[in-house]
Each structure stands twice: as structure tokens, then as C-alpha cells.
Amino acid sequence: MSEFTSYDELLVELDRIERVSTGRVSVEEVGSSNRGRGMMLARVGTGPKVVFITAEIHGNEKTGPDALLDVLDYLGTSDSTAAQRVRDQLTVVAMPKINPDAASLDRRGNDMTWQEAQSQFPQLAASPPPWNYITGQRQGDDYSQRPGFDVNRDYHPDLEYQPQPQDFPGSSDRPGWFISPETQTVRDVYKGLRAEFGSVDTYVDLHHQGACYTVPGTDRFVTMSLSGKFVADPRTPEGSAFADFAGTYRPEYSKQLNVAAYNALQSAAEQRPDFGNITLYPQDINLPGTGLGAFQLNGSGAVLFEVRGQTQTLGEQHREMLTKTVYIGLDGILSSIASGEVTQLDPASYDQIPPTDRGERTLSRTTDVED
């Protein structure tokens, strides 16, 4: 994994970007992981619309941090008209490694025992472990000696929620609990941005998926999948559990943001065809315990990037191309919001993005959902 940015290298690179940006980029530690690693936040731009971007909530999904560093470097140092417009119109807030313990272990789950969570929340002393607690084998990693949580199932749409015993062990179609320090920190950043700006316009979360999915009707491997759908619509009977969020849920805007990323990548495919192998992530999901689901219900346009292959399947193969794919997609989103073009995009174009062909593969249980 030596070509990907390690935690220590991230700190050095963020410090460098802050220095060479001559004040455009500010960096701060906003929390710490369960094992005490600082969770870093970088901020650039002075515009009224906030774009919040997080990466590596799963520690074996490593192109996101590298792409975010490239975005921050560009916005911090470029004097181009495009960069200046983004800085003037947007405030871009980036957290490149929100699960640094998992990143250091190169695995999906964080490094935290159920007993540690119970000690933080005494009301859970008699509760069973949550369904997303990993103690065995997962994606080739053995958690038996160092258990952890899939913290991308630990969010809750109610940002003031406190863990309640009756909500355990829970399930994939129900909210999480904010029991991990990693999700607590991301939530607190989101709440702080809402208090400062009134709302968080856009939330983007950078992930990886399986390595061998294909573009329908072809033998071309998917480079990245996109999605703007994470929960059942709270305005429908299926989403009635979240009816309180019906007034803030903006699915059409999420679709427009995804179209902006897709269009940017299709344009880039004229120079390199791999950038055009973009598909739509499965839409039959209901995951209110993800950051994307929770923040989308709270009014943010939401975008999921699912890059091809975690480290256990691809390692460093295609690292440069995959990182560039993320960068192009992010640039497409930021540019379209800053220019106002995003509101002119047809949400129906989202539904024309080809679905992902997953072949004969089946998921053995709900915890195997990758995002």
C-alpha cells in the first residue's frame, strides 16, 4: 500500500498545502479516532454554499484521500478563473481520512471493542452488540483479536440522538447510534457547518466497491459507480419512519449533482476511455445508518462515489487512473455548483446512467453491502 497516502503522510501533505496556499486553505484537528489519531479537516473558499466531502470511512478504500489532497492543492494554489469561482461561491470542507485507525490497519472496520462503547454509554451495559460489530473474518481480515465496527452504519438522521438500549442490535435498514468517536466527530462537523451557514448544500462520500463489475452489455470493468439514493423516500409509505424529514429531503438535487459528476467524466473519456466506464450504484437500498442517508434526510444533496476495487482485490493497480477518476468527478460537482449550472441539469438524466452489471454475484448477508 506504499503508493497510497498513509496517515503520517496525510499530516505532512495537509501541512504543506496549508503553507503553500498562503492562507487559502486552513487545516485543523477536529476530533480523534478511538486509538487517538487526530481526525483532520481542511477548508478552502469563502462562498455561502458548503460542500462537505469525506473519504476513507473504510480503511481499505484509499483513492479518496489522494484525490481530496489533489483537489485541496488545486483550490489552494491555482489562480485560474475556475478555481477562483469555486473559492468565491463555495466553502469546501474536506475530511480525507475519517477512519484513520482502519486506514492504518488497511481494513474496513475501525479498532474498537463493544466493551469500550459500553463504557462510554453505560446505559448499554446489558445490550447485545450491534449488528455491524465485526469479530470474525471480513474481506480477508481477521478481527478476532482486534474487533471493530463498520462505522458507516453508525449514523442516525436525528443528529441529537443518544444511544438507547432498545435500539440494539438494530439492522441495516434502521439508523445507527453514534457510538463510535469517528462518526460522532463527522456529525459534530456537520452540525457546526449547519449552525454557521444555515445548511450544508452538498455532501459527498468517497468509497470503493467490487473489482469486477461491468458496464451493462459490455466486457468493460466499471471504473466508478455513482448514487444519489440511500434511503426510502420519507414522503412515501415505504419511508414513513422518516416522515419528519419529508420537508428537507431533496432527491432531485442529489440527482443533479450526480449528473454533474457523470457529465464531467464522460467528457474526460474523450482523452481516456476508462473515465467513461461509469455506472449507477444499485438503487434498491435503504441505509439510514450511513452518513449519506442521514445527511440527505437533513437536507443535503448527496453523492456516493464507489471506485472499482478495495485494496484486498486490486492493491495499487490502476491507482493513478482511479484517483484521477475521483478528482474529475469532484471537480465536475464543485464547478457546476459554483457556476449555477447544476440547477439547470435534468434530474431525469440520472436515471439514464447505466446500472451496474454485478453478474452472478450475490451478497451473503446485509453486512456485505459495500458502500
Side-chain angles (χ1 to χ4, degrees):
M1 297 302 103
S2 61
E3 293 301 314
F4 289 111
T5 302
S6 70
Y7 176 75
D8 289 338
E9 291 168 339
L10 175 76
L11 301 182
V12 172
E13 187 63 7
L14 286 174
D15 180 68
R16 182 194 68 81
I17 291 171
E18 185 175 34
R19 283 187 289 105
V20 301
S21 74
T22 61
R24 287 171 173 165
V25 178
S26 62
V27 177
E28 63 177 318
E29 182 178 319
V30 291
S32 61
S33 69
N34 190 55
R35 296 295 170 232
R37 294 181 174 90
M39 295 178 64
M40 307 307 295
L41 178 149
R43 178 164 165 163
V44 58
T46 57
K49 288 188 176 181
V50 181
V51 180
F52 184 29
I53 310 171
T54 56
E56 209 171 0
I57 195 170
H58 297 138
N60 56 354
E61 301 178 356
K62 296 185 177 294
T63 58
D66 288 3
L68 267 181
L69 289 172
D70 290 342
V71 169
L72 291 168
D73 199 6
Y74 163 68
L75 291 177
T77 61
S78 175
D79 292 321
S80 69
T81 301
Q84 186 61 54
R85 181 166 56 200
V86 170
R87 292 192 297 264
D88 289 344
Q89 299 300 319
L90 308 180
T91 297
V92 179
V93 178
M95 296 184 68
K97 279 185 187 288
I98 59 174
N99 194 352
D101 295 345
S104 296
L105 293 169
D106 188 31
R107 71 182 196 182
R108 182 180 182 90
N110 74 345
D111 189 4
M112 182 178 183
T113 67
W114 176 230
Q115 290 72 29
E116 287 176 302
Q118 288 175 310
S119 68
Q120 182 181 355
F121 300 102
Q123 68 268 34
L124 305 180
S127 300
W131 70 276
N132 64 328
Y133 186 48
I134 310 170
T135 59
Q137 292 284 330
R138 186 70 187 277
Q139 294 180 327
D141 295 309
D142 183 3
Y143 288 74
S144 61
Q145 301 305 308
R146 300 181 73 163
F149 298 90
D150 182 347
V151 294
N152 194 42
R153 300 298 188 272
D154 189 36
Y155 291 87
H156 197 293
D158 178 0
L159 304 180
E160 306 301 327
Y161 172 86
Q162 291 294 315
Q164 302 298 320
Q166 64 268 23
D167 293 336
F168 289 81
S171 60
S172 66
D173 60 350
R174 295 175 61 188
W177 317 268
F178 293 126
I179 57 175
S180 71
E182 294 86 3
T183 50
Q184 292 167 22
T185 297
V186 175
R187 172 203 59 192
D188 291 347
V189 169
Y190 184 87
K191 287 172 59 179
L193 292 170
R194 288 214 308 180
E196 181 180 356
F197 291 89
S199 66
V200 176
D201 181 82
T202 298
Y203 177 59
V204 185
D205 202 16
L206 309 177
H207 287 258
H208 285 233
Q209 61 179 342
C212 297
Y213 303 144
T214 56
V215 179
T218 77
D219 58 359
R220 303 195 310 272
F221 286 124
V222 170
T223 302
M224 187 171 76
S225 297
L226 297 167
S227 186
K229 197 274 184 184
F230 314 103
V231 292
D233 190 330
R235 302 167 300 186
T236 67
E238 293 76 14
S240 59
F242 311 109
D244 289 347
F245 298 93
T248 53
Y249 184 64
R250 298 191 294 161
E252 300 304 297
Y253 185 52
S254 293
K255 289 184 175 183
Q256 290 171 314
L257 292 165
N258 277 267
V259 171
Y262 182 79
N263 289 348
L265 286 158
Q266 295 308 306
S267 295
E270 297 175 6
Q271 302 300 320
R272 182 163 186 173
D274 286 330
F275 295 140
N277 295 335
I278 309 301
T279 60
L280 198 62
Y281 194 74
Q283 300 293 283
D284 56 343
I285 58 175
N286 181 29
L287 301 172
T290 61
L292 285 159
F295 296 158
Q296 185 179 48
L297 286 170
N298 275 277
S300 299
V303 184
L304 167 69
F305 282 18
E306 286 276 0
V307 174
R308 178 188 173 206
Q310 287 106 345
T311 54
Q312 77 274 6
T313 54
L314 282 187
E316 296 172 357
Q317 295 182 64
H318 318 298
R319 180 189 65 85
E320 182 177 355
M321 182 272 291
L322 294 173
T323 300
K324 186 66 172 179
T325 300
V326 177
Y327 178 92
I328 294 168
L330 289 174
D331 183 64
I333 291 171
L334 296 174
S335 298
S336 67
I337 301 172
S339 67
E341 177 189 354
V342 66
T343 61
Q344 305 304 313
L345 297 174
D346 185 359
S349 297
Y350 173 88
D351 301 306
Q352 301 306 310
I353 299 173
T356 306
D357 186 349
R358 296 192 165 206
E360 298 300 318
R361 181 178 185 274
T362 58
L363 300 177
S364 60
R365 54 180 184 162
T366 54
T367 53
D368 289 335
V369 177
E370 294 157 323
D371 69 295

